[in-house]
Amino acid sequence: MIRGMKTGEAASAWRPALWVRVAALALAFAAMNSAAQQSAPTRLRVVGGLAGLNQYALHEERFWGKDLARLSGGKYTASIVPFNQAGVPGQEMLNLMRLGVIPFGTALLSQVSNEYPEIGTPDIAGLNPDMPSMRRVIGAFRPYLEKTLRERHGVELLAVYVYPAQVIFCKQPMKQLSDLSGRRVRVSGTTQADFVRALGGVPVSTEFAELMANMSSANTECAITGAMSGNTLGLHKITSSLYTMPINWGVAVFGANTDAWNGLPADLKALLKTELPKLEAAVWEESERDTGNGIACNTGAATCVKGTKGAMVEARPSATDERRRREIFASSVLTRWVQRCGTVCAEVWDQTVGPVVGIKAPVGQ
């Protein structure tokens, strides 16, 4: 059994209620699948990534809604819904896939790693300062991820998606990491909070839907979020500085319940094995474009497309800040992560990502 993070009394209180909801979802999805099988035996039902992002709208939705039918000559079709509009608890996605409630689904590592923290290894805050680093880390971690999902969760890994870089929006000028000292900073995860604390900042955990309300008040002075998603929200209207060091990215896995995967016709499995790596590559390329385009739009650059031009001042990380990022990651963020997770995470780190980035897990935590 995988060892996860300790949960408190609050978590224990809501979990039974959550599983009542999961049971209801199971019945609903089972009914949908039964109806689909009766009307169209070759139609797949897919829970995709995040609605409102180009990765979903331009690539996932098009592949499953149109390309699959075209590529198979109309023999196979699929319907897709983004998980944040499907009423699916993100933190329970792997459990729902293991049970077969969701035969094909997308899980954000930042959400499922609350229960299975070692799965979140490749996207710890401060680890990947650029897209090439992210690619190397995912390449090193992928064999472990495939094996773990298959053997412990009954899920066949079919693709790994990445979302645009998470950067820092601030109301007051920010030129370097040390400027976060004393500031209240919106974070979306535990390791982001560790990173902010190490800089002397005060992390404020805030859901994405509540981000603008918090930033519009005096409660929060800075926010870590995606460059383009921040622009879509309108953060460029209430902040002045954009510090463009990627704190982390956002990684998701797309997979299938093992029984559902094994039950597919051989020609459909062959087609998906050929085409899904292409879809994965397109999502990664879109994320890289969105990162650059988000920065361009927030700062009012002429290269801004599909966004609203702002007048923010961009601050790029210096060599000194790059060294500090690495020091903070090794001495604080990684250490706290291992303390919460234990020897499992330390072993996974040293066997996968650690050798690639040249950092060993702390000993005796």
Side-chain angles (χ1 to χ4, degrees):
M1 172 151 323
I2 299 178
R3 291 162 53 183
M5 296 168 59
K6 294 180 181 179
T7 56
E9 293 180 359
S12 299
W14 59 253
R15 197 167 183 82
L18 177 59
W19 275 101
V20 169
R21 186 181 178 194
V22 169
L25 284 167
L27 292 173
F29 273 91
M32 288 192 295
N33 287 335
S34 175
Q37 289 171 359
Q38 292 174 12
S39 60
T42 57
R43 185 174 180 82
L44 304 180
R45 301 194 70 87
V46 177
V47 175
L50 290 164
L53 298 185
N54 287 335
Q55 289 70 25
Y56 178 84
L58 301 182
H59 302 285
E60 290 181 79
E61 190 173 37
R62 184 180 64 192
F63 175 80
W64 295 107
K66 297 179 180 179
D67 293 350
L68 179 62
R70 175 179 57 80
L71 292 166
S72 66
K75 188 176 181 181
Y76 302 113
T77 61
S79 61
I80 182 171
V81 60
F83 82 79
N84 53 330
Q85 292 182 2
V88 177
Q91 66 271 28
E92 297 296 340
M93 181 62 77
L94 283 183
N95 294 326
L96 292 170
M97 292 172 68
R98 185 187 72 247
L99 294 170
V101 173
I102 296 176
F104 296 85
T106 306
L108 285 174
L109 297 193
S110 62
Q111 294 185 331
V112 299
S113 63
N114 287 332
E115 185 170 358
Y116 309 108
E118 66 275 27
I119 290 181
T121 300
D123 198 31
I124 302 173
L127 173 58
N128 299 298
D130 49 43
M131 185 63 85
S133 298
M134 184 83 255
R135 291 183 184 277
R136 288 192 296 271
V137 165
I138 290 295
F141 190 69
R142 191 167 193 145
Y144 171 84
L145 185 61
E146 289 178 348
K147 185 174 186 292
T148 299
L149 289 178
R150 183 182 298 117
E151 295 180 357
R152 298 179 180 176
H153 299 277
V155 171
E156 190 72 21
L157 179 64
L158 301 178
V160 177
Y161 300 144
V162 66
Y163 292 109
Q166 301 278 299
V167 295
I168 305 175
F169 293 75
C170 279
K171 295 176 182 176
Q172 300 300 319
M174 178 179 176
K175 297 181 179 180
Q176 55 198 7
L177 285 174
S178 61
D179 290 337
L180 287 184
S181 179
R183 298 189 190 184
R184 294 175 60 83
V185 184
R186 180 266 178 174
V187 299
S188 60
T190 305
T191 63
Q192 282 188 3
D194 292 336
F195 192 86
V196 169
R197 284 194 193 96
L199 291 164
V202 181
V204 180
S205 183
T206 309
E207 294 293 332
F208 185 74
E210 301 168 355
L211 197 161
M212 277 297 288
N214 265 15
M215 286 293 290
S216 296
S217 70
N219 184 52
T220 313
E221 299 161 88
C222 299
I224 300 175
T225 192
M228 182 50 77
S229 57
N231 182 267
T232 301
L233 281 178
L235 274 177
H236 60 286
K237 299 177 182 178
I238 59 173
T239 57
S240 64
S241 288
L242 187 69
Y243 185 75
T244 55
M245 172 185 284
I247 305 303
N248 57 344
W249 296 77
V251 178
V253 295
F254 174 72
N257 170 274
T258 300
D259 290 337
W261 174 253
N262 291 336
L264 293 180
D267 61 333
L268 177 54
K269 285 204 290 187
L271 187 153
L272 293 176
K273 285 182 178 179
T274 298
E275 297 300 326
L276 285 176
K278 299 176 185 177
L279 175 60
E280 176 181 311
V283 168
W284 280 68
E285 290 167 4
E286 191 67 49
S287 292
E288 194 161 22
R289 281 194 298 271
D290 270 3
T291 297
N293 190 42
I295 294 170
C297 290
N298 287 310
T299 57
T303 53
C304 169
V305 293
K306 297 181 180 178
T308 304
K309 287 186 179 182
M312 299 186 73
V313 176
E314 177 186 359
R316 299 180 182 180
S318 64
T320 299
D321 265 8
E322 287 291 356
R323 287 193 295 271
R324 190 170 189 196
R325 171 198 60 78
R326 185 177 173 88
E327 290 167 0
I328 288 173
F329 176 81
S331 65
S332 183
V333 180
L334 183 63
T335 297
R336 289 178 180 275
W337 179 72
V338 170
Q339 286 174 341
R340 287 190 295 267
C341 180
T343 56
V344 170
C345 282
E347 291 169 1
V348 169
W349 175 268
D350 285 339
Q351 293 168 8
T352 59
V353 176
V356 173
V357 298
I359 300 174
K360 288 185 65 65
V363 179
Q365 300 300 325

